[in-house]
Amino acid sequence: MDLRDAAQELYAVLPRDFTARRSELVREAKDAGDKELAKDIGKLGKPAAGAWAINALAVHKPEVIDGVVRFGASLRAAQEDGDADAFRQLGLQRQGELMGAVDDAKDLAAELGFPLSAAAAADVERTFRAAMADAGAAAAVATGRLVRGLSGSGFEEVDLDGAVAGGEFEPEPTSPPKPQSQPEGQSQPESQSKPGTQREPKTKEKKPGDEATSLAERRAAKKKAALEEAQAEFDAAESEARKADEAAAQAWNAVKEIERRRKAVQADIEECRKRLASLEAELIGITRDAEAAESDKKRAVRTATQQRRAADQAQRRVERLG
């Protein structure tokens, strides 16, 4: 086991198990007598949640990572070739590709028992966006050993310093433009002549191919400007589309909240109707009882009146006889 193997395993475990597994790997390295490796493993930092989700995809669903890398390669190729139509077409597809990969990361994280927060999901999206724009970022994403998220739009190189664990990470460099070769036998230009040699400046003689070269350069510059304009238009359109998506999501959430409240009020109304029906039935019973009690009261009053009269008559009789 070397540091890269240890990192490859460690950065795929659940974040909550990271520290415990790192300690186990340190112990294994010490038991194997490799104190330096044990020390290096102990220095491996816990990955951010978004980085962990991308590492998990690299292990469990590598086809998702491969799709992001391949799409980014096509996008960059169209940009480098100055193919504005292809770049614009791929640009329109980019957001869908991004969101599909982010959804795959969220689904996998949930399946593994570590759902992503909104911030972590946004970090995953930024990292995939950087991987589509930059070959080095794409290579970093494919390692499965990300420590942190990446950020980049394609206009500048993505900062990969400390982004990948397990030793130094050096993505394959892109091939620089080849310098124009000197025709055989041609002397060095005056700027490269031996020190101390003074030469009179010469007026550069215009060659027949210079006009063609100048025309090609102007065409390339024009194509580059058109591509940059297309990129700016796309970025602006994508920004507006994302704002629209957010607004639509907020509107959808508002509709769902109103629907929830409507159902709750309907349930309360239904409960009140049932309660009202029960109270009305109870009121009918009480009314009947009141009417019966009233009748009983009248009979009792009549009976009491009759009995009182009888008692009074009996008293008067007693008084007369006494």
Side-chain angles (χ1 to χ4, degrees):
M1 176 178 67
D2 60 13
L3 182 59
R4 178 170 295 189
D5 293 334
Q8 204 75 50
E9 177 184 349
L10 187 57
Y11 281 82
V13 302
L14 289 175
R16 60 174 171 263
D17 300 330
F18 180 89
T19 302
R21 184 54 185 152
R22 181 178 59 187
S23 299
E24 291 174 358
L25 291 172
V26 168
R27 187 164 53 252
E28 290 175 13
K30 287 182 178 178
D31 292 343
D34 196 337
K35 294 183 179 180
E36 191 65 28
L37 176 60
K39 183 178 179 182
D40 290 339
I41 292 175
K43 292 179 180 178
L44 293 175
K46 187 175 182 179
W52 166 80
I54 294 173
N55 295 337
L57 281 176
V59 173
H60 300 284
K61 292 186 177 181
E63 67 277 6
V64 176
I65 301 296
D66 186 58
V68 170
V69 171
R70 288 177 180 274
F71 184 85
S74 299
L75 194 65
R76 293 192 301 276
Q79 186 176 21
E80 291 168 3
D81 294 342
D83 190 341
D85 291 337
F87 183 78
R88 185 180 293 108
Q89 187 63 32
L90 289 169
L92 293 174
Q93 299 173 18
R94 181 167 63 170
Q95 189 63 20
E97 294 287 336
L98 274 172
M99 297 317 297
V102 172
D103 287 343
D104 287 333
K106 291 163 65 176
D107 292 343
L108 178 59
E111 290 174 13
L112 295 176
F114 193 80
L116 296 182
S117 65
D123 194 24
V124 171
E125 181 182 349
R126 281 192 298 271
T127 301
F128 280 152
R129 189 182 297 277
M132 288 182 177
D134 183 85
V141 163
T143 63
R145 292 181 278 117
L146 275 182
V147 181
R148 59 172 176 81
L150 307 175
S151 179
S153 61
F155 292 105
E156 57 184 16
E157 189 174 349
V158 175
D159 177 18
L160 299 177
D161 186 29
V164 180
E168 293 185 4
F169 171 70
E170 291 292 341
E172 294 182 4
T174 53
S175 301
K178 295 181 180 179
Q180 293 182 350
S181 58
Q182 291 282 354
E184 191 172 345
Q186 182 174 329
S187 60
Q188 289 183 332
E190 293 182 18
S191 60
Q192 296 180 0
S193 57
K194 295 181 180 179
T197 304
Q198 298 286 337
R199 292 183 181 268
E200 292 296 325
K202 294 182 179 180
T203 304
K204 190 174 181 181
E205 191 175 319
K206 204 166 187 180
K207 297 179 181 179
D210 287 349
E211 291 186 6
T213 302
S214 178
L215 179 60
E217 289 175 350
R218 287 199 300 272
R219 287 177 176 173
K222 185 176 181 181
K223 183 177 287 188
K224 182 181 179 182
L227 184 58
E228 290 176 350
E229 183 181 356
Q231 173 73 49
E233 290 177 358
F234 167 73
D235 289 341
E238 184 180 28
S239 176
E240 292 301 320
R242 292 185 66 181
K243 291 179 182 177
D245 288 341
E246 292 175 1
Q250 291 176 358
W252 179 249
N253 290 335
V255 168
K256 289 196 294 186
E257 175 62 18
I258 292 173
E259 179 65 16
R260 184 194 66 77
R261 289 166 52 195
R262 185 181 67 82
K263 289 181 178 179
V265 171
Q266 283 183 331
D268 289 343
I269 291 173
E270 186 64 26
E271 182 66 25
C272 289
R273 285 175 176 168
K274 291 179 181 178
R275 178 64 177 157
L276 178 60
S278 175
L279 292 173
E280 287 177 341
E282 185 177 353
L283 178 60
I284 292 173
I286 291 173
T287 301
R288 290 174 180 172
D289 291 344
E291 291 174 351
E294 184 67 24
S295 298
D296 291 343
K297 182 198 75 171
K298 290 179 179 179
R299 285 195 296 271
V301 169
R302 285 198 298 271
T303 300
T305 301
Q306 292 172 357
Q307 292 297 329
R308 174 53 57 192
R309 288 175 182 172
D312 290 344
Q313 291 175 359
Q315 184 179 7
R316 286 195 295 272
R317 189 178 300 114
V318 170
E319 289 175 353
R320 284 198 304 272
L321 293 175

